[in-house]
Amino acid sequence: MSAWRWAAASTIGTSHLRTGAPRQDAYGVRRTGNGRICAVVSDGAGSATYGGPGAWIVCREFLAQAQSWSTNSPGLPEDQIISDWIDAIRDRISRAAERRASAPRQFAATLAAVFATDSEALVIQVGDSVVAGRADGSWTVPLWPESGEYASTTYFVTDSPSPRLNLAREAVSFDGFALFSDGIETIALDHSEQQAHRPFLDPMIKAIDNAPGSGRLAPLSGHLASYLDSDRVNDRTDDDKTLILLSRRP
């Protein structure tokens, strides 16, 4: 059983800097025992007053639910368990909205998460944030990002009466994952072929593959943040940019 290690970073988009808007992406990673890893990315809606806090709640509550469930449960959770977690996230957002005399839709945020063991993975998605998995040197995207009914829209955890929740179970021994918000989709995905863009992901995850130790790699996370905030990336996207890179290569 190989230990997971990761680098992760989130940087504000240049469009947000111009308008004075805060960063609206959030992310989190947690090891939940027995070699399992859980990671999540959320992108708060730019049109929502509290999109950033909404994304933070999505990530924090999802990981809390995963940790609590894992304490007494082996393997990966069933579909109904995931639905229960989404309900718990929505309940927490509703309470946050009440405290601010607002509405849950003002906390609109996407969700992309992976819960993995050494031999299988569960990918969870609401909206257009993405999970890509690597096995045997190849990248797959189990759930393609979903756009909404209109241009430049998507689906959110707060959608009424219920969110558009997608799940994919992969009986694959993944040795790497990349999770990212739509701010870097044009860089990390090949939309013409509907597949991950290996010329971007392979070099990015190589440093994680070769790093010693396990858990969060603080120096590499700092380097990743600098890269996401570089002119090379900002020239291609003006949105917030979040990327988690996980590896368990020996």
Side-chain angles (χ1 to χ4, degrees), residues 3-246:
W4 287 98
R5 56 193 176 276
W6 63 89
S10 184
T11 61
I12 192 169
T14 55
S15 62
H16 289 207
L17 291 173
R18 287 193 298 269
T19 62
R23 177 169 57 88
Q24 293 174 309
D25 281 6
Y27 69 91
V29 182
R30 186 168 296 178
R31 290 177 289 190
T32 63
N34 297 323
R36 292 175 296 193
I37 191 76
C38 187
V40 58
V41 165
S42 180
D43 179 2
S47 59
T49 304
Y50 301 108
W56 182 86
I57 292 171
V58 166
C59 292
R60 185 178 178 87
E61 185 65 24
F62 186 89
L63 291 176
Q65 292 290 329
Q67 185 68 62
S68 177
W69 177 87
S70 298
T71 301
N72 298 307
S73 304
L76 298 177
E78 298 297 325
D79 292 4
Q80 184 57 53
I81 297 295
I82 300 299
S83 294
D84 292 343
W85 295 359
I86 299 299
D87 287 343
I89 293 170
R90 287 166 61 89
D91 288 344
R92 184 164 178 187
I93 287 176
S94 293
R95 293 195 297 271
E98 289 176 3
R99 289 195 298 271
R100 291 169 173 80
S102 185
R105 67 177 179 275
Q106 295 302 332
F107 290 74
T110 66
L111 164 68
V114 63
F115 203 166
T117 70
D118 281 356
S119 59
E120 59 181 335
L122 170 60
V123 176
I124 304 105
Q125 181 194 69
V126 178
D128 57 6
S129 295
V130 180
V131 176
R134 184 189 63 185
D136 299 324
S138 297
W139 289 91
T140 59
V141 182
L143 294 171
W144 197 252
E146 283 202 314
S147 299
E149 183 178 356
Y150 304 103
S152 300
T153 65
T154 189
Y155 300 101
F156 301 108
V157 172
T158 52
D159 286 349
S160 181
S162 61
R164 190 180 177 99
L165 174 62
N166 296 308
L167 304 174
R169 294 182 182 274
E170 302 286 321
V172 176
S173 181
F174 288 106
D175 65 5
F177 290 103
L179 290 80
F180 46 92
S181 62
D182 71 332
I184 61 168
E185 270 187 28
T186 58
I187 305 172
L189 294 180
D190 181 346
H191 281 272
S192 64
E193 299 293 333
Q194 282 218 336
Q195 63 186 17
H197 188 50
R198 288 190 60 181
F200 172 77
L201 292 176
D202 282 345
M204 293 297 292
I205 202 170
K206 185 176 180 180
I208 318 303
D209 289 337
N210 296 332
S214 63
R216 180 176 179 269
L217 305 172
L220 287 179
S221 294
H223 294 324
L224 180 59
S226 296
Y227 172 76
L228 293 178
D229 202 31
S230 67
D231 291 341
R232 181 180 177 183
V233 175
N234 286 331
D235 286 346
R236 297 188 61 179
T237 176
D238 63 359
D239 200 0
D240 293 343
K241 303 162 291 285
T242 299
L243 177 61
I244 302 173
L245 295 166
L246 303 107

